[in-house]
Amino acid sequence: MAHSSTNSSTNGYDFKVVLLGEGCVGKTSVVLRYVEDKFNDKHISTIQASFLKKKLNINGKRVNLAICDTAGQEKFHALGPIYYRMSSGAVLVYDITDADSFQKVKNWVKELKKILGSEICLVIAGNKVDLERDRNVSQEEAEEYARQVGAVHFNTSAKQNHNIEEMFLDLSRRMIVHADEVEQKSTLSRTSSTRRNVVIVEDEADQERPASSSCCGGFSQSS
Ligand code: GDP
Ligand code: MG
């Protein structure tokens, strides 16, 4: 229920990724840098939520990312689930110069875990590392926190294009692993239920075989 549709390796993977974090931490900047390799010094107001698409090729597997940039976080509890319910991954962004924005990340993580459990792959981005001098969040603390919640932490700068691609690549790799595990599990359960069906079908087929084979024989003779 929690993850988006994922096809077999031949068709590639479709993943929805949601960006969450306090206003002005750089969510829109991160996604614009990643998808269009652009950066704007001004805050571009994000209207509710928008999707940006990115195609990747990871070890010969096609990956389509639909990245959902969100805004209006104060209404998160009312609107949030619409954006993240079908997501395979989430990028939780904070600003390394703003301690409060890191606390907000912890709130998003709690919310996501409550609703999606381990169904969603998490990455935490400590953005604006070009402003290292004004850092207000301990890197060690942030990394330790990420480990505790099963997320991977990245120091990013949308401005200097630092670690943005690496971060989405790492997230994509983990989403592939997770999707493959889910598919394997469902294949296993399908196979075992099919086996049960096969036994029943075989019984029926045995009884019907004389009639059906003469029917087929009739067709091949007359054609
Ligand atoms: P959002 O509200 O989270 O979507 O944040 P925005 O992407 O609109 O960015 C808010 C402000 O932070 C803008 O003025 C951006 O130019 C600036 N910003 C975003 N990323 C960085 C970064 O990596 N370094 C610096 N120095 N500023 C950034
Ligand atoms: Mg924005």
Side-chain angles (χ1 to χ4, degrees):
M1 147 214 126
H3 43 84
S4 70
S5 61
T6 307
N7 307 322
S8 69
S9 49
T10 46
N11 296 325
Y13 298 81
D14 294 317
F15 294 128
K16 239 181 87 177
V17 173
V18 65
L19 268 101
L20 296 167
E22 200 178 10
C24 285
V25 294
K27 299 180 295 297
T28 301
S29 301
V30 163
V31 72
L32 281 182
R33 171 61 84 190
Y34 183 53
V35 175
E36 294 175 9
D37 199 15
K38 283 182 189 150
F39 181 76
N40 196 316
D41 267 313
K42 293 191 196 79
H43 170 75
I44 312 135
S45 79
T46 312
I47 306 148
Q48 291 217 332
S50 58
F51 272 104
L52 276 160
K53 299 210 157 121
K54 177 89 174 178
K55 285 183 198 297
L56 291 177
N57 194 311
I58 300 176
N59 299 333
K61 291 170 185 167
R62 284 192 291 122
V63 178
N64 301 309
L65 298 183
I67 305 165
C68 180
D69 181 19
T70 62
Q73 302 298 327
E74 43 312 325
K75 294 174 191 156
F76 179 76
H77 287 278
L79 290 173
I82 300 165
Y83 303 130
Y84 60 69
R85 200 181 293 132
M86 298 304 288
S87 298
S88 307
V91 179
L92 302 139
V93 188
Y94 69 95
D95 173 346
I96 62 149
T97 71
D98 175 3
D100 187 51
S101 72
F102 180 61
Q103 289 306 311
K104 292 273 160 61
V105 161
K106 294 183 175 177
N107 294 348
W108 308 138
V109 170
K110 261 188 222 148
E111 180 83 17
L112 291 173
K113 294 257 174 200
K114 193 171 81 191
I115 295 186
L116 301 170
S118 58
E119 289 298 294
I120 190 161
C121 298
L122 302 179
V123 66
I124 298 175
N127 192 41
K128 308 195 187 181
V129 285
D130 54 286
L131 304 176
E132 188 63 48
R133 287 167 303 173
D134 304 319
R135 180 183 274 280
N136 273 314
V137 178
S138 142
Q139 190 175 322
E140 293 72 39
E141 189 196 324
E143 279 171 358
E144 177 53 31
Y145 172 75
R147 251 193 307 277
Q148 280 169 19
V149 297
V152 179
H153 183 276
F154 281 84
N155 287 311
T156 63
S157 169
K159 186 171 186 167
Q160 295 183 339
N161 197 9
H162 176 76
N163 251 352
I164 305 286
E165 224 161 286
E166 289 83 350
M167 176 175 75
F168 281 101
L169 189 61
D170 180 87
L171 179 64
S172 300
R173 287 206 173 105
R174 283 191 290 133
M175 289 190 297
I176 289 174
V177 170
H178 185 257
D180 285 350
E181 278 170 10
V182 169
E183 189 168 296
Q184 216 169 17
K185 265 184 215 157
S186 77
T187 308
L188 275 177
S189 67
R190 235 183 294 137
T191 314
S192 61
S193 64
T194 310
R195 266 196 212 112
R196 255 178 269 129
N197 289 342
V198 165
V199 174
I200 297 160
V201 169
E202 273 174 352
D203 285 345
E204 285 169 0
D206 278 346
Q207 287 161 9
E208 281 169 18
R209 192 160 288 153
S212 65
S213 62
S214 72
C215 173
C216 291
F219 271 121
S220 59
Q221 272 162 15
S222 64
S223 60

